[in-house]
Amino acid sequence: SNIDPSVPDANPVLLGYQIAAGRNITYAGSASDSDGDLLSWSWLYSKNDAPLVTVNSGVGNVQDVNFSYPASEVGSEYEWIMRVSDGTEAIEKSLLVDVISESSPLASENSLTLYANKDNMIAQAHRFNNWGVFEFTWAKIGNGIARGIIGFDLPPVPVQKITKATFIMSVMKESNELRGIPNEVFPIWDEWTEGNQRFDKHGTNLNVPGYGGGSTWSCAKDINIANGRSECDTSWDGVVGAIPTITPTDTVMHKAGDLETEWDVTKDIITALSSGKNKIGWVVNKANQTSGSLRWYTREGALYYGNYLLTPRLIIETNSPFTTPIVSLSSLKSNLYHGEPSTVLVWDVKGATSCTASGGWSGIKSLSGTETVSPATDATYTLTCTGPGGSSASHSVMVIVRTDI
């Protein structure tokens, strides 16, 4: 079986498992052999990639193991392994555990999670293509250059409350990972459009042409991505100007087996909010010129694989709880194609006591959650939330139903 921890995940928004320092925990598991052979078992862990330590072992039924994480362990990462053998071959299950502070905003109400509202991939070799409806985005060099573009709606979080902002993407596939792959992010201050071109869906080499506006390698907001040429005045290759001449906001070295990539984008969020912007985005680029690439899940990938937590997301941490409503709402698809009857809405709200849906959906909603919707025609979904003293805030997303294909 999988490893089953006795303590709930301290922050289910993040992939993997988080536990607050100072907690005791029990890990449980089970195993059986179809031939009836007597099994031996062992519990092991590695802390921060150090050599494995055996905690307990035995023969027969797997026994639970107890463990404590003192306050000094904040920031540590453990990999727990349950290994079972019949004397001929062995199998194992593993669980990654991140230790966070009990008072960390990640374990409290002092954080807001924003889910991406647009994403696509652009490629140098396909200068006028826009893969806005795609299960992954790609950062690579070798056989062409590809970059991902991710965008968020940005609610009016008070700048003075912000302590940290983290941009997170979930890894789908890695190559040449043992070399170490540095990946950098650059803020997008231009307005840009996701577009609705679909390519290589689920590996079937299906190319559905897009129409209307969309960002491409050459253009932030190409008027018509179907005509194979740029209609912008200047080339932008993902940002204003050529990327090599711009300093990235943050660069993160990918290690083999990493499930997520996290960039510190605090300064970009503060800059955007201080200037009154209500949108923010980043270009994701592979920093060095060697081979190797990373693929991350997009919103469409999260929907296809049935896990909204794979969606690119932005976590804004604050120094105190929100006192007025802040609403984040996103759809995992902006365009529904023929044969794709539904999408998932995902939201997170802070500083409110109640929320109500209107437009394409209705009813009282929780302060965070997901809901599957199946519009027959284009629909706008609005979430309005009320806080103490009658203060309120709302956010809307639109889902387009394509009937031409």
Side-chain angles (χ1 to χ4, degrees):
S1 71
N2 291 325
I3 298 175
D4 182 23
S6 61
V7 177
D9 192 343
N11 183 28
V13 170
L14 298 179
L15 285 182
Y17 175 80
Q18 280 67 227
I19 186 169
R23 301 295 299 271
N24 297 317
I25 189 171
T26 298
Y27 296 110
S30 62
S32 61
D33 186 86
S34 59
D35 298 325
D37 294 336
L38 186 64
L39 299 177
S40 60
W41 53 267
S42 57
W43 287 99
L44 312 96
Y45 73 79
S46 171
K47 174 184 172 183
N48 299 329
D49 297 323
L52 286 170
V53 175
T54 300
V55 179
N56 197 7
S57 61
V59 177
N61 293 332
V62 178
Q63 301 297 309
D64 298 348
V65 62
N66 299 312
F67 197 78
S68 297
Y69 295 93
S72 59
E73 291 297 304
V74 171
S76 296
E77 180 183 76
Y78 282 75
E79 180 181 16
W80 279 90
I81 295 174
M82 179 183 68
R83 183 176 294 162
V84 179
S85 174
D86 63 359
T88 302
E89 57 182 339
I91 60 172
E92 59 185 41
K93 293 287 186 178
S94 63
L95 175 70
L96 292 178
V97 178
D98 291 313
V99 185
I100 64 176
S101 170
E102 185 73 49
S103 59
S104 166
L106 295 179
S108 71
E109 289 299 307
N110 294 12
S111 67
L112 175 72
T113 301
L114 311 179
Y115 297 90
N117 74 320
K118 55 184 178 180
D119 48 40
N120 64 238
M121 184 176 71
I122 56 175
Q124 185 184 42
H126 306 275
R127 301 187 65 84
F128 308 115
N129 286 46
N130 175 301
W131 296 311
V133 184
F134 207 20
E135 280 67 44
F136 65 86
T137 192
W138 208 354
K140 80 181 188 79
I141 296 175
N143 297 320
I145 301 174
R147 295 175 181 145
I149 312 178
I150 313 296
F152 296 84
D153 288 338
L154 190 59
V157 178
V159 172
Q160 67 273 17
K161 291 174 65 72
I162 297 174
T163 58
K164 187 177 181 180
T166 307
F167 172 34
I168 303 173
M169 295 185 71
S170 299
V171 175
M172 174 185 276
K173 183 179 180 181
E174 56 191 4
S175 68
N176 294 335
E177 66 275 11
L178 295 180
R179 298 184 183 185
I181 301 176
N183 294 280
E184 53 195 11
V185 290
F186 299 84
I188 304 175
W189 305 117
D190 285 357
E191 180 60 33
W192 61 282
T193 306
E194 180 182 67
N196 50 29
Q197 183 173 0
R198 184 173 66 185
F199 179 76
D200 195 26
K201 184 175 175 62
H202 316 318
T204 60
N205 293 315
L206 175 63
N207 190 3
V208 178
Y211 68 90
S215 60
T216 64
W217 181 270
S218 300
C219 182
K221 201 173 182 180
D222 201 331
I223 296 172
N224 181 9
I225 60 176
N227 64 10
R229 60 183 176 83
S230 172
E231 286 130 346
C232 288
D233 293 334
T234 57
S235 177
W236 79 311
D237 72 349
V239 291
V240 180
I243 275 186
T245 66
I246 299 175
T247 302
T249 298
D250 193 17
T251 301
V252 174
M253 185 70 73
H254 176 81
K255 296 183 298 182
D258 284 352
L259 297 177
E260 297 177 334
T261 310
E262 301 183 5
W263 294 274
D264 186 338
V265 293
T266 308
K267 66 179 181 180
D268 290 344
I269 295 299
I270 291 176
T271 297
L273 289 171
S274 298
S275 59
K277 296 183 182 297
N278 60 7
K279 296 182 184 298
I280 186 69
W282 291 274
V283 167
V284 183
N285 181 57
K286 184 172 179 292
N288 65 22
Q289 300 299 311
T290 61
S291 62
S293 65
L294 269 180
R295 297 181 183 185
W296 295 273
Y297 292 94
T298 59
R299 297 178 302 150
E300 292 82 6
L303 181 64
Y304 178 72
Y305 290 97
N307 183 358
Y308 78 95
L309 293 177
L310 298 174
T311 307
R313 55 206 182 278
L314 174 64
I315 297 179
I316 299 178
E317 302 173 27
T318 59
N319 54 23
S320 60
F322 294 89
T323 56
T324 57
I326 298 289
V327 181
S328 166
L329 173 67
S330 181
S331 171
L332 297 192
K333 286 185 76 71
S334 297
N335 294 270
L336 290 179
Y337 289 77
H338 178 70
E340 297 176 324
S342 62
T343 183
V344 171
L345 304 179
V346 55
W347 66 94
D348 187 32
V349 177
K350 292 296 187 293
T353 54
S354 63
C355 294
T356 304
S358 60
W361 59 338
S362 61
I364 305 299
K365 303 301 177 185
S366 61
L367 298 184
S368 63
T370 65
E371 184 169 324
T372 300
V373 294
S374 304
T377 59
D378 297 355
T380 298
Y381 298 88
T382 300
L383 185 66
T384 301
C385 300
T386 303
S391 58
S392 66
S394 64
H395 193 72
S396 299
V397 296
M398 186 175 184
V399 178
I400 297 172
V401 179
R402 287 190 63 173
T403 58
D404 58 318
I405 57 173

